[in-house]
Amino acid sequence: FAGALMELVQTMNKKDYHNIDKKDISIYLVEMDKSLLSYLPEKLQQYTIKKLEKKNVKVLLNSTVCEICENEVRLKDGTKIPTETVVWTAGVKGSELTDNGDFANVRNGRVTTEKTLQMENYKEVFVVGDTVLFEEENLPVPMVAPAAMQQGATAGKNIIRSIEGRPLKTFSYKDYGSMVVIGRNKAVVHMFNMCITGFTAWIIWLGVHILKLVGFRDRFSVLIDWASSYIFIERNLKLIVPSSGKKIPE
């Protein structure tokens, strides 16, 4: 997200943003963890940080935000970042149903289950998606759509099996890879134990997202839209501000 935001700044059209100088804009990426994209191999983590810093994004690892004020963000170590614009991306959280105290083994809003995705104290309840904390080899299954889809398929089959009185299947997550786009012509891909970076990874990211769309018409429409944006570097959504001294008409 930080890379895309910096790219938006760099491709800003002066005729639309009269009073904004790109040199006056700084972007900070504050990450509480000791690494960025911790679910990816270290090689891809370092590549991502390097490319972000090349875009003038200041990456702060091991940093915790303790307070957001009107004109600054304060970190736990005492650092103060002057800003009037804060974009908060704190990730996802499980269902609030886990907060009522009736569920055992709740960690950070996520419920631990048996290998069949059944709750330990409510065998008739199956938990999937962001609400389940399912671990394999002492590592939690990532909170991503492919994992939730696989869990949903296993839970559905197990519900039918339980009705029919047959043994339930255990869930096993199949990781088909991870992709992160950093910006124009830059992405990282980890699949089939391969680490791919740069333009090739970006093309793979585009191709996968096009193929995931339903129907030829949607795929063709998105492809044309992306091609137009890539060639002309033109944004459909803009904020046109008046020059100094002019008022915005009501």
Side-chain angles (χ1 to χ4, degrees):
F1 177 82
L5 189 58
M6 195 66 219
E7 184 177 311
L8 177 62
V9 170
Q10 292 172 347
T11 57
M12 226 170 30
N13 196 323
K14 191 65 178 177
K15 70 180 181 181
D16 295 333
Y17 304 91
H18 306 287
N19 304 325
I20 301 178
D21 191 338
K22 299 176 186 179
K23 298 178 182 178
D24 296 332
I25 299 176
S26 299
I27 295 179
Y28 289 80
L29 175 58
V30 182
E31 171 59 53
M32 185 173 62
D33 202 353
K34 62 182 179 180
S35 60
L36 199 63
L37 305 176
S38 57
Y39 56 90
L40 293 177
E42 185 176 356
K43 176 183 177 181
L44 298 183
Q45 296 177 23
Q46 295 301 322
Y47 175 87
T48 302
I49 292 176
K50 180 180 177 181
K51 292 303 177 182
L52 286 174
E53 290 178 341
K54 193 172 182 180
K55 288 176 174 286
N56 295 322
V57 176
K58 300 174 178 62
V59 181
L60 305 179
L61 301 178
N62 275 324
S63 301
T64 304
V65 175
C66 63
E67 189 176 4
I68 299 177
C69 304
E70 183 178 357
N71 297 312
E72 66 181 13
V73 171
R74 298 175 184 175
L75 305 184
K76 193 173 182 180
D77 62 1
T79 302
K80 296 180 180 179
I81 304 174
T83 182
E84 294 181 0
T85 303
V86 179
V87 180
W88 186 269
T89 56
V92 293
K93 182 182 178 182
S95 172
E96 294 181 358
L97 289 173
T98 59
D99 296 335
N100 62 15
D102 293 336
F103 300 97
N105 301 323
V106 177
R107 290 161 54 185
N108 298 324
R110 304 172 69 186
V111 181
T112 58
T113 65
E114 298 180 353
K115 296 297 183 181
T116 55
L117 296 175
Q118 292 173 290
M119 290 189 64
E120 296 176 4
N121 51 340
Y122 294 98
K123 301 294 184 182
E124 69 279 10
V125 176
F126 293 82
V127 188
V128 302
D130 297 337
T131 306
V132 63
L133 178 61
F134 193 94
E135 295 184 346
E136 290 183 331
E137 299 179 359
N138 295 323
L139 293 174
V141 171
M143 300 170 74
V144 293
M149 293 168 65
Q150 292 179 35
Q151 290 167 351
T154 299
K157 292 175 182 177
N158 279 343
I159 291 173
I160 295 175
R161 284 176 170 268
S162 64
I163 294 173
E164 296 175 348
R166 293 188 292 157
L168 305 187
K169 287 188 174 183
T170 58
F171 172 73
S172 179
Y173 174 55
K174 296 179 178 60
D175 187 1
Y176 296 106
S178 300
M179 299 180 293
V180 178
V181 65
I182 304 171
R184 185 182 177 87
N185 297 336
K186 296 178 183 65
V188 292
V189 172
H190 182 235
M191 57 172 52
F192 309 120
N193 291 323
M194 295 188 301
C195 294
I196 308 171
T197 61
F199 182 75
T200 302
W202 186 70
I203 290 295
I204 293 173
W205 182 88
L206 290 176
V208 169
H209 281 73
I210 289 290
L211 291 174
K212 287 292 184 180
L213 295 175
V214 178
F216 174 79
R217 179 179 295 180
D218 288 341
R219 293 173 184 171
F220 183 75
S221 175
V222 171
L223 182 61
I224 293 298
D225 186 51
W226 283 359
S228 175
S229 298
Y230 181 81
I231 295 171
F232 299 106
I233 316 180
E234 187 74 11
R235 304 282 177 177
N236 292 328
L237 298 177
K238 298 179 181 180
L239 174 64
I240 302 178
V241 297
S243 58
S244 178
K246 292 184 180 181
K247 294 183 178 180
I248 301 177
E250 296 181 359

